[in-house]
Amino acid sequence: MKLTREGKGLLVTGILVAMAALNTGNNLIYLLASLMASLGILDMVAGWFNLRKLSGDVVLEEPVYAGSSKTISCRFFNDRRYRPAFLVSMKDVAAGISAVAPRVGAEEMTEINNTVTFRHRGRIYLSDIQLSSGYPFGFYRNVVKLNNPKSFLVYPELVDVRGLLSGLCSVSGSGALPHPSGEDFTDIRPYQQGDPMRDIHWKSTAKAGELMVKEFRAGISRQVTVALDTSAGAAPEIFEKGISLAASLVEMLFSQGYPVRLKTLAQVSVAARSREQLYHIMDMLALLQAEEPEPGTLDEDGQEMLLLIVCNPDSPIKKLEQQAAGVFNAIRL
Amino acid sequence: MQSGYKWTLFFIVAVSHTALLITGEMPPQLFFLMPVTVLGYLALIRGRSAGNRIVLNVAAFVTLIFFITDMFIISGDLLIAVGNLTLAFHAIKSFDIRTPGDGLQVFFMSVIQLVVASELAQPLVFAVIFLVFMASSVLFIMASYQAEEVEKMPRGLMTSGVALTLLVLPVVTMMFVLIPRGAGGLLGSRNRQKAMSGFDDKVSIGAFEEVLSSADVVMRITVAGRQPVAPYWRGKVFETYEQNAWENKWTHGFPYRNRKGVVQFVRKLQKGGIVQDVLLKPPKSGTVFGLSEIARIECDSRWVVQYPNGEVAVSRRRKKRLHYRVVSTGRRPGVRANTLDLYLQFPEGMKRTHKLAKTITAGIPDAAGKCRAIVNWLKKNCSYSLKVPLAETVGNPIEDFLFETKKGYCEYYATAMVLMLRSLGVPARIVAGYRGGDFNSYGGYYVVRQANAHTWVEAAIGPRWVRFDPTPVTTESTHSMFENYLDILGFAWDRYIVGYSVEDRQALLGQLKWPGSSTENNGVLSAVVISLLILVGVTLISGRMLFLWRRKCEFRKRMQPVSILAIQVMEWLARKYPETKGLSWRESVEKIQDLPLRAKLTSFFNEYEALRFGSGPLPTNQQVENLKSLASEARTKSK
């Protein structure tokens, strides 16, 4: 229970009136003091009853990208059989979530939709989410902490990289970034987990009785690797810019049909052929911190396309510059 | 902000302003601010934007400077200055209401205004004002909070507000009764109540005129058992007459320390005493009024003093209403022989009066006869009138009354008689008090007004002081039934709200003891309270048990078909697929190779789990039917 600004006003006025009553012995002033005290007591009791058997939940439609607004649904549940609840708010200061339900009917659920924008990537914990209400008079705020800890990931902010990618194609010509579709396939093989649905050869699948996928021209891989410099020397804002750029490249390439994977100094993801795998890469990026190089991660990967994002001029990742189809310097962007 | 909210705020301000106005104590110089306040609120209601902040801040600063000047120089009175300050701030704030929080500040200012008004006056109309203020406050504060949280008032909030308003009144009553009382006067406060009853220690001839013209209620007296005929509520006794004024000479009496709230002046109280419960408006002195002769008094004063002339006075810390109960014997006061000289004092230069007295009483040997002769002469030769020349203009008002105008009121009649008796050597004195009063047959009490103020004569005849009233009886006023009922309300207001005391609180709480725990406590109230508590407790417990039992029955009735259906399906599954025996439904379903059946069973069990263990309401018949059809579909698929 928290005393509000109005509650402090009541307290100060109440004390003044009570002092005047004691000082004068005037019963009418005692009556006013009784009124003030009664308002305070009723506010406390009615406020407690208002939040009784009330619970709540927050539902957020994923994926959530930093910097872009998202609809968040705050659900209020009233398990009481008879009395509705009034003016209940749900708040999580750390997560920046706030919603007010004017009325939650008995045995009803009220959903309040709000738009929320997260400024930074990372894991958002909803462990501090609480229901509160100052009903009926707003002198106190009764607070109930919700006991259903939840968390979700906020992916890095997406920026427009179409210009960067088109520039890359024009510079490198047809060999730099092969077109993801419309090419002849060379073989048909059984389906492996992660193969895109569009590569399934339905005719062969029907004949074989199991899923068969097309294999494309040998020697030219369509897979693109985005290598991100995660060395510790980068300035935080440059580092974030690099992550944002990596996420945007991965997202854009995936949407264009390229199997895309992420490589950092210490981690290598699987190539994203499905949306789940894309989100796996986004999960990585959402939680990415500065890393020390792990042996083997910076080794050459054959003939796949490599896009390099450099955040630190002295980074060990710069040794991949030679085989990179494109190098983006986060400091200059 | 909604229009209803603004109107309620305006209403609250109007109520507190009215309270301040009807006290009649506020100087009218700042009343021009009230129309300004009205204009401010009308502008707010019409949706005009708030005033310029700089102008309003300057106005507030000027008001504060004015307040300090007012407090120390202009009125020199803190209460009046605070009253003026609230008037000015209300006017300024009416143009500066931007958020619901501002409205709440206005409410707190109105509370302060009511505090000031309460110190200035306490008429019955305040009962209505307080009631209206309380009710509107609850609704306003609620609307204020709602306006701060959401724009539109949710459905049902107004009903809830009305319920809270009804609830706040008993809670306020309870708090009012239970809050510990004290009147410390810590900050040197003084009560602003005007002393409006009783008499000073010195009464000049002609001073009664203003008093007798007033219809203000002085006291209400409930007489237990019987109604005394022509009651004379005896109060102050005056001994000496000098320079056209009567003066009380007894500055010291016999003090009694009032430890237990009761002081008795006689060793043994005779049966048949007349018990009078008196609620007196703030009196000028501590003198108590009652029928002759007061033998016992119950009051909250620390000291009670009995003077040799029979007058009884109580100590008072401040001018406030006096509530006491006296028991009178009904006998005439006894004469103290050693004080009789005092009652023979006769002013010089009144030989004509002495001559007249001798003429009137010629040939009458005894004192009682002389008294009767003078009474008869005064009643026969003089007429009652409140229009008399000013005492200062005539020199000797009594001789002017006796020989010139022959017109006067009780003070003139009684003084003339006392002086004539003293000139003849009969000890006599003047007694000031109240005569009669309107008997309110609905409330069973006397309403004594200022107009009932009276002076009469007591002459020492034998061992007793005998009362003589030479003033002709004037016509008694009559009051309608409505006026009587209104007066009952006024009595209740004065007695139980304005006059509620520490003793009342103790008496009330004392009644809450267990029956028989105290010899003084008859336990009637406690028996009622305990019975009520038991009744409420039993009702609550039985209500809760009934509710739980009904809920259990309802749960069983609605859930049984769902549970039975799930058991039937599980049993059917175990019969059809023996390998699933003893497994949970999930494990069982996983063992089934028939994919359509698996899908059907999964949807059946998911639905079952939602109905049986979900947080939603109890399953409806339709939902149970749906579940049954899912079960039968699963079985059919299997066939």
Side-chain angles (χ1 to χ4, degrees):
Chain A
M1 190 174 288
K2 286 176 189 168
L3 202 63
T4 60
R5 194 167 58 93
E6 290 76 16
K8 283 172 191 163
L10 178 86
L11 195 68
V12 170
T13 318
I15 288 171
L16 280 176
V17 174
M19 275 172 62
L22 275 172
N23 196 42
T24 58
N26 186 330
N27 272 323
L28 294 191
I29 306 180
Y30 272 109
L31 200 62
L32 285 170
S34 307
L35 171 68
M36 310 292 270
S38 305
L39 287 175
I41 291 169
L42 270 180
D43 195 29
M44 229 183 269
V45 175
W48 181 79
F49 273 109
N50 193 45
L51 281 189
R52 213 168 145 256
K53 290 191 176 179
L54 225 62
S55 56
D57 194 11
V58 175
V59 180
L60 188 67
E61 193 191 328
E62 291 183 283
V64 185
Y65 289 95
S68 58
S69 57
K70 200 80 190 171
T71 302
I72 191 161
S73 299
C74 295
R75 290 175 181 170
F76 300 80
F77 302 95
N78 182 358
D79 292 339
R80 296 198 294 255
R81 282 176 74 87
Y82 301 111
R83 282 174 299 106
F86 294 104
L87 306 168
V88 185
S89 67
M90 191 184 286
K91 201 173 263 183
D92 189 322
V93 180
I97 294 168
S98 175
V100 180
R103 183 181 190 276
V104 189
E107 292 191 329
E108 277 180 18
M109 186 269 280
T110 302
E111 188 172 291
I112 305 290
N113 292 325
N114 269 352
T115 346
V116 64
T117 307
F118 297 98
R119 298 174 69 85
H120 305 290
R121 69 184 175 95
R123 185 169 290 282
I124 301 287
Y125 291 95
L126 297 178
S127 50
D128 285 334
I129 200 152
Q130 53 193 22
L131 288 181
S132 68
S133 176
Y135 172 86
F137 305 133
F139 296 133
Y140 313 94
R141 219 169 168 87
N142 286 285
V143 182
V144 173
K145 202 169 173 185
L146 288 182
N147 198 20
N148 48 352
K150 254 185 171 182
S151 72
F152 57 90
L153 279 176
V154 176
Y155 295 154
E157 189 175 354
L158 295 182
V159 291
D160 191 359
V161 290
R162 279 174 298 182
L164 290 175
L165 283 177
S166 61
L168 187 71
C169 286
S170 62
V171 168
S172 309
S174 59
L177 202 60
H179 202 274
S181 59
E183 292 168 12
D184 295 336
F185 59 88
T186 54
D187 201 1
I188 292 172
R189 61 169 174 79
Y191 174 84
Q192 290 171 359
Q193 195 158 359
D195 284 336
M197 290 291 280
R198 63 175 171 272
D199 287 358
I200 294 173
H201 194 262
W202 292 105
K203 211 178 263 182
S204 311
T205 301
K207 280 181 189 168
E210 63 172 327
L211 287 172
M212 301 296 284
V213 292
K214 295 174 269 187
E215 259 208 324
F216 292 86
R217 271 191 296 163
I220 298 175
S221 171
R222 295 187 311 133
Q223 186 168 300
V224 182
T225 297
V226 176
L228 173 65
D229 171 16
T230 52
S231 59
E237 63 273 20
I238 304 297
F239 186 67
E240 288 302 321
K241 206 181 257 185
I243 289 174
S244 176
L245 185 60
S248 309
L249 283 172
V250 167
E251 212 277 337
M252 176 61 82
L253 289 167
F254 177 81
S255 66
Q256 288 182 359
Y258 295 100
V260 57
R261 68 172 185 162
L262 178 75
K263 181 185 269 192
T264 66
L265 291 181
Q267 304 171 65
V268 180
S269 77
V270 292
R273 294 171 191 277
S274 64
R275 196 148 278 277
E276 286 70 32
Q277 285 164 336
L278 171 76
Y279 292 150
H280 177 70
I281 294 174
M282 289 297 177
D283 287 354
M284 261 177 75
L285 283 168
L287 301 171
L288 206 58
Q289 302 290 324
E291 300 166 331
E292 288 298 321
E294 288 284 328
T297 49
L298 297 181
D299 292 350
E300 285 184 28
D301 280 319
Q303 302 199 358
E304 65 186 14
M305 296 296 117
L306 181 66
L307 300 178
L308 198 62
I309 300 167
V310 181
C311 301
N312 180 8
D314 307 324
S315 170
I317 207 164
K318 287 195 86 173
K319 75 174 191 184
L320 296 176
E321 259 181 4
Q322 296 301 320
Q323 64 261 27
V327 177
F328 307 108
N329 195 335
I331 304 163
R332 288 189 200 147
L333 286 170
Chain B
M1 282 186 281
Q2 291 156 352
S3 153
Y5 167 80
K6 293 172 190 172
W7 275 109
T8 322
L9 181 62
F10 183 30
F11 182 71
I12 281 179
V13 173
V15 168
S16 62
H17 273 67
T18 309
L20 209 58
L21 257 183
I22 58 178
T23 60
E25 297 285 325
M26 293 299 293
Q29 285 82 356
L30 288 185
F31 284 3
F32 75 91
L33 289 170
M34 291 185 189
V36 177
T37 312
V38 173
L39 281 177
Y41 281 104
L42 288 180
L44 176 75
I45 289 161
R46 283 178 189 166
R48 303 232 172 107
S49 55
N52 183 297
R53 265 193 198 280
I54 297 169
V55 175
L56 293 170
N57 285 343
V58 168
F61 181 72
V62 170
T63 304
L64 271 177
I65 299 288
F66 175 77
F67 166 66
I68 294 163
T69 321
D70 190 10
M71 190 167 59
F72 292 109
I73 299 164
I74 302 172
S75 68
D77 189 314
L78 177 68
L79 267 180
I80 299 289
V82 172
N84 283 335
L85 180 76
T86 57
L87 284 177
F89 269 163
H90 266 302
I92 295 168
K93 198 72 193 168
S94 66
F95 291 95
D96 190 27
I97 293 169
R98 296 161 206 270
T99 61
D102 289 332
L104 216 59
Q105 285 175 20
V106 171
F107 165 74
F108 291 139
M109 238 160 28
S110 290
V111 170
I112 300 293
Q113 218 163 22
L114 279 185
V115 169
V116 173
S118 304
E119 266 295 271
L120 294 174
Q122 299 162 341
L124 173 63
V125 71
F126 268 33
V128 181
I129 284 183
F130 271 63
L131 211 63
V132 169
F133 186 80
M134 280 180 207
S136 50
S137 298
V138 173
L139 291 176
F140 165 72
I141 298 171
M142 206 162 160
S144 171
Y145 171 61
Q146 171 261 310
E148 211 161 72
E149 290 285 298
V150 289
E151 205 165 295
K152 200 178 165 192
M153 185 176 274
R155 184 169 52 89
L157 191 67
M158 183 51 91
T159 317
S160 160
V162 172
L164 277 170
T165 307
L166 293 176
L167 195 63
V168 87
L169 296 177
V171 177
V172 167
T173 311
M174 198 180 73
M175 294 294 295
F176 176 74
V177 168
L178 294 180
I179 285 179
R181 290 297 193 277
L186 301 170
L187 304 174
S189 159
R190 63 212 156 88
N191 197 300
R192 294 287 309 214
Q193 295 295 304
K194 274 184 182 171
M196 57 173 300
S197 64
F199 307 92
D200 291 322
D201 287 339
K202 187 176 179 180
V203 177
S204 301
I205 296 292
F208 264 45
E209 188 182 333
E210 191 189 342
V211 174
L212 289 170
S213 313
S214 167
D216 289 341
V217 174
V218 173
M219 57 182 165
R220 292 184 178 86
I221 306 170
T222 311
V223 181
R226 60 198 165 106
Q227 296 172 23
V229 180
Y232 281 80
W233 313 109
R234 204 168 179 278
K236 229 165 171 62
V237 179
F238 296 101
E239 281 84 22
T240 57
Y241 183 75
E242 292 286 352
Q243 294 172 349
N244 302 335
W246 281 102
E247 205 168 339
N248 185 313
K249 281 290 170 194
W250 293 107
T251 50
H252 292 85
F254 190 82
Y256 292 84
R257 182 76 193 264
N258 185 11
R259 290 180 197 277
K260 294 178 181 174
V262 181
V263 171
Q264 195 162 306
F265 308 116
V266 289
R267 281 196 181 166
K268 196 177 177 188
L269 198 63
Q270 297 288 324
K271 279 187 179 176
I274 308 163
V275 182
Q276 305 135 73
D277 196 89
V278 184
L279 183 65
L280 185 66
K281 290 276 173 76
K284 287 179 178 171
S285 65
T287 305
V288 296
F289 295 89
L291 297 172
S292 179
E293 165 187 41
I294 295 172
R296 174 190 160 100
I297 182 167
E298 290 173 32
C299 62
D300 61 353
S301 302
R302 286 188 183 178
W303 292 92
V304 176
V305 182
Q306 191 188 33
Y307 292 95
N309 57 17
E311 190 182 319
V312 175
V314 293
S315 60
R316 296 172 319 135
R317 293 182 68 188
R318 51 205 312 121
K319 285 175 187 169
K320 65 172 191 174
R321 281 167 171 73
L322 201 59
H323 178 226
Y324 58 88
R325 179 179 288 189
V326 288
V327 181
S328 303
T329 55
R331 289 182 307 181
R332 293 160 178 164
V335 171
R336 290 175 182 235
N338 55 348
T339 63
L340 279 179
D341 287 348
L342 199 61
Y343 302 107
L344 288 170
Q345 177 263 346
F346 187 73
E348 288 180 6
M350 293 188 74
K351 285 178 182 168
R352 284 172 76 194
T353 307
H354 172 58
K355 211 171 174 181
L356 178 68
K358 275 174 97 178
T359 315
I360 295 167
T361 58
I364 302 171
D366 63 313
K370 285 175 182 171
C371 291
R372 279 193 292 275
I374 292 171
V375 168
N376 289 337
W377 187 89
L378 285 168
K379 283 188 175 173
K380 194 177 169 186
N381 293 289
C382 302
S383 57
Y384 188 88
S385 174
L386 284 173
K387 290 178 182 171
V388 288
L390 288 173
E392 296 85 36
T393 58
V394 293
N396 190 329
I398 296 304
E399 291 206 334
D400 187 63
F401 164 69
L402 286 173
F403 303 108
E404 305 297 329
T405 62
K406 295 196 190 302
K407 280 182 182 175
Y409 44 86
C410 59
E411 218 181 347
Y412 288 83
Y413 281 89
T415 306
M417 182 173 172
V418 168
L419 294 180
M420 281 196 271
L421 285 175
R422 285 185 180 183
S423 71
L424 297 172
V426 179
R429 62 189 185 186
I430 204 161
V431 182
Y434 295 89
R435 182 175 67 180
D438 303 320
F439 185 72
N440 189 327
S441 52
Y442 300 97
Y445 58 85
Y446 283 93
V447 181
V448 180
R449 300 170 196 280
Q450 289 282 40
N452 295 111
H454 192 53
T455 49
W456 60 89
V457 177
E458 280 184 353
I461 298 171
R464 298 273 163 194
W465 287 99
V466 181
R467 185 179 69 220
F468 292 95
D469 191 352
T471 314
V473 177
T474 50
T475 48
E476 294 287 325
S477 60
T478 52
H479 294 274
S480 66
M481 190 175 74
F482 174 73
E483 284 173 321
N484 281 333
Y485 274 120
L486 201 66
D487 195 78
I488 291 173
L489 282 178
F491 184 25
W493 170 253
D494 281 347
R495 170 67 188 86
Y496 298 109
I497 307 292
V498 179
Y500 183 76
S501 63
V502 182
E503 288 68 31
D504 288 331
R505 181 174 169 273
Q506 281 171 348
L508 197 69
L509 293 180
Q511 290 291 327
L512 289 172
K513 289 173 189 168
W514 284 99
S517 62
S518 161
T519 49
E520 291 173 8
N521 176 16
N522 60 19
V524 175
L525 188 61
S526 57
V528 172
V529 171
I530 291 164
S531 311
L532 270 174
L533 282 176
I534 291 171
L535 191 71
V536 170
V538 169
T539 312
L540 283 176
I541 292 168
S542 50
R544 184 71 186 166
M545 283 173 74
L546 188 71
F547 167 74
L548 290 174
W549 179 74
R550 280 187 61 183
R551 196 172 70 168
K552 194 176 170 185
C553 291
E554 188 72 13
F555 184 82
R556 194 177 290 172
K557 188 180 153 194
R558 299 270 192 91
M559 272 314 177
Q560 225 162 21
V562 176
S563 303
I564 288 170
L565 207 58
I567 292 165
Q568 283 174 350
V569 172
M570 286 297 285
E571 282 174 355
W572 170 81
L573 211 57
R575 277 199 307 276
K576 194 150 179 63
Y577 300 95
E579 66 271 23
T580 63
K581 200 171 182 180
L583 299 178
S584 71
W585 74 262
R586 285 180 207 281
E587 292 165 339
S588 305
V589 166
E590 274 177 19
K591 288 208 177 286
I592 296 167
Q593 298 299 316
D594 184 352
L595 289 180
L597 176 63
R598 187 196 280 201
K600 283 285 167 194
L601 283 171
T602 307
S603 66
F604 167 80
F605 280 113
N606 280 334
E607 185 65 21
Y608 161 72
E609 277 195 343
L611 288 179
R612 181 67 182 81
F613 306 109
S615 60
L618 289 170
T620 60
N621 290 338
Q622 184 60 45
Q623 285 172 316
V624 175
E625 286 305 315
N626 290 345
L627 196 68
K628 272 183 186 171
S629 64
L630 278 173
S632 65
E633 271 178 39
R635 289 179 202 172
T636 322
K637 282 271 176 206
S638 167
K639 281 171 193 170

